[in-house]
Amino acid sequence: MDAGPAQRDVACFVVVAEHLSFSRAAERLGMTQPAVSLAVARLERALGVRLFERTSREVRLSDEGKVLLPYAEAMLGHAAAFAAEAARLAEPGTGPIRLAYCPLVGALAARVARRLAARSPSVDVELRRAGWNAATQELAGGGAAAALMTTPFPRGTATTARFHIPVTHVAVPARDPLATASRVTFDQLAGRDMLLPRTRPPGSVWHALAGRLRAHFVAADLDDLPAALDLVAAGRGAMAAPRLLAETVRRPDVRFVPLAAGDLRMTYGLVWSPDRATADLMTLIQTVRHLLRTP
């Protein structure tokens, strides 16, 4: 099997493993579902192992697939690094590399900038605070080389260094009757005004929340969750809050009440456009990966 198809087949395997869905992987890759299924089957034949366990209801990684997935991700990363370095040698880039980041993970973005300044001083990073909508526009227009953002990741982008932040609290005004509760459930929020974004694409935590809440939804701009607490304090509505927000923000007019949210979580990752890969971008990617592996 020639190198081109092999790499494409490995990419299909990685994306299906990320979504555990051939249809969602096909949408992400801009391919048809049969084409993705054929690519994975071709790779399974070449390797001599089954990568997924498929039933009519679900797709799961096989034991062999779980072992091979990190190697597949590394293979794609090395291929991207090879292409990026070749492009850099052919036409060296100039100017800083711009990293857009969701305000909730600003501390991680700052750590990335500090680490690069210490270990790769030739890589100049410019941080751009941007919510999901703004980050998507920055990536599409080339205003940012990469973004730390939440799912759903923009179509046609590459992702790595995924991590999860559980949704564990609900933010309410300090004088709200629920402010002194030790714990609340979704049933207790029924009928209340709840802040949710105007757009809630499938795959986002807001889409999942809308399916669980029997509440009156108040459309709001929640790209910047710390800033959205102003709306909570003003009495516009309560807001589901990730653990990181509840642990890092302290203000007298808002209370974070534990929420029985089950496995609800926000998934973040480092996202970039493969067709704009550079050597500096690959250095940034490796730095983010390393920081997430170490405390």
Side-chain angles (χ1 to χ4, degrees):
M1 185 162 35
D2 63 83
Q7 185 172 321
R8 288 195 296 270
D9 294 349
V10 172
C12 288
F13 163 49
V14 170
V15 177
V16 172
E18 176 183 342
H19 293 279
L20 293 180
S21 166
F22 281 82
S23 60
R24 289 199 295 272
E27 181 180 358
R28 169 78 179 285
L29 292 164
M31 299 170 61
T32 65
Q33 181 175 339
V36 174
S37 298
L38 180 62
V40 171
R42 186 165 53 232
L43 183 61
E44 288 178 324
R45 288 195 302 271
L47 298 175
V49 298
R50 180 170 288 276
L51 299 171
F52 296 99
E53 301 293 343
R54 308 166 179 84
T55 70
S56 59
R57 294 185 176 181
E58 65 176 355
V59 175
R60 294 184 293 108
L61 275 168
S62 67
D63 290 341
E64 294 85 354
K66 292 176 183 177
V67 172
L68 291 173
L69 180 58
Y71 293 97
E73 292 176 329
M75 172 184 168
L76 294 179
H78 288 312
F82 175 83
E85 183 64 12
R88 186 190 69 81
L89 292 172
E91 186 177 351
T94 59
I97 184 169
R98 297 180 179 90
L99 172 64
Y101 66 94
C102 169
L104 186 63
V105 294
L108 175 59
R111 289 177 62 202
V112 171
R114 291 197 303 269
R115 179 64 62 88
L116 282 169
R119 298 192 177 182
S120 303
S122 63
V123 180
D124 183 14
V125 177
E126 177 183 311
L127 298 182
R128 289 195 177 183
R129 186 181 176 104
W132 190 90
N133 291 317
T136 299
Q137 294 174 2
E138 290 271 2
L139 288 170
L148 287 167
M149 61 190 300
T150 187
T151 54
F153 301 130
R155 184 175 178 177
T157 58
T159 64
T160 190
R162 291 179 290 274
F163 58 98
H164 308 288
I165 302 176
V167 175
T168 55
H169 290 73
V170 59
V172 299
R175 295 183 180 277
D176 190 282
L178 288 180
T180 58
S182 60
R183 184 181 178 89
V184 296
T185 64
F186 285 116
D187 288 339
Q188 290 174 280
L189 298 175
R192 292 182 59 99
D193 289 341
M194 294 293 299
L195 298 175
L196 286 181
R198 294 176 179 83
T199 58
R200 302 181 286 273
S204 69
V205 69
W206 307 116
H207 184 270
L209 266 171
R212 297 192 191 187
L213 286 167
R214 298 192 306 277
H216 175 248
F217 300 148
V218 178
D221 181 3
L222 301 187
D223 263 7
D224 188 333
L225 289 181
L229 292 175
D230 293 342
L231 300 177
V232 175
R236 291 287 303 280
M239 183 182 75
R243 177 188 296 164
L244 183 60
L245 186 68
E247 290 177 345
T248 56
V249 174
R250 294 290 181 270
R251 47 188 298 174
D253 52 359
V254 172
R255 295 288 183 272
F256 293 100
V257 184
L259 173 66
D263 60 351
L264 200 62
R265 62 187 186 177
M266 305 180 78
T267 299
Y268 284 82
L270 181 67
V271 184
W272 74 94
S273 297
D275 57 351
R276 296 194 182 100
T278 65
D280 286 353
L281 175 59
M282 298 314 299
T283 300
L284 171 69
I285 291 169
Q286 294 299 329
T287 299
V288 174
R289 286 174 175 166
H290 184 265
L291 284 174
L292 288 176
R293 288 196 301 265
T294 57

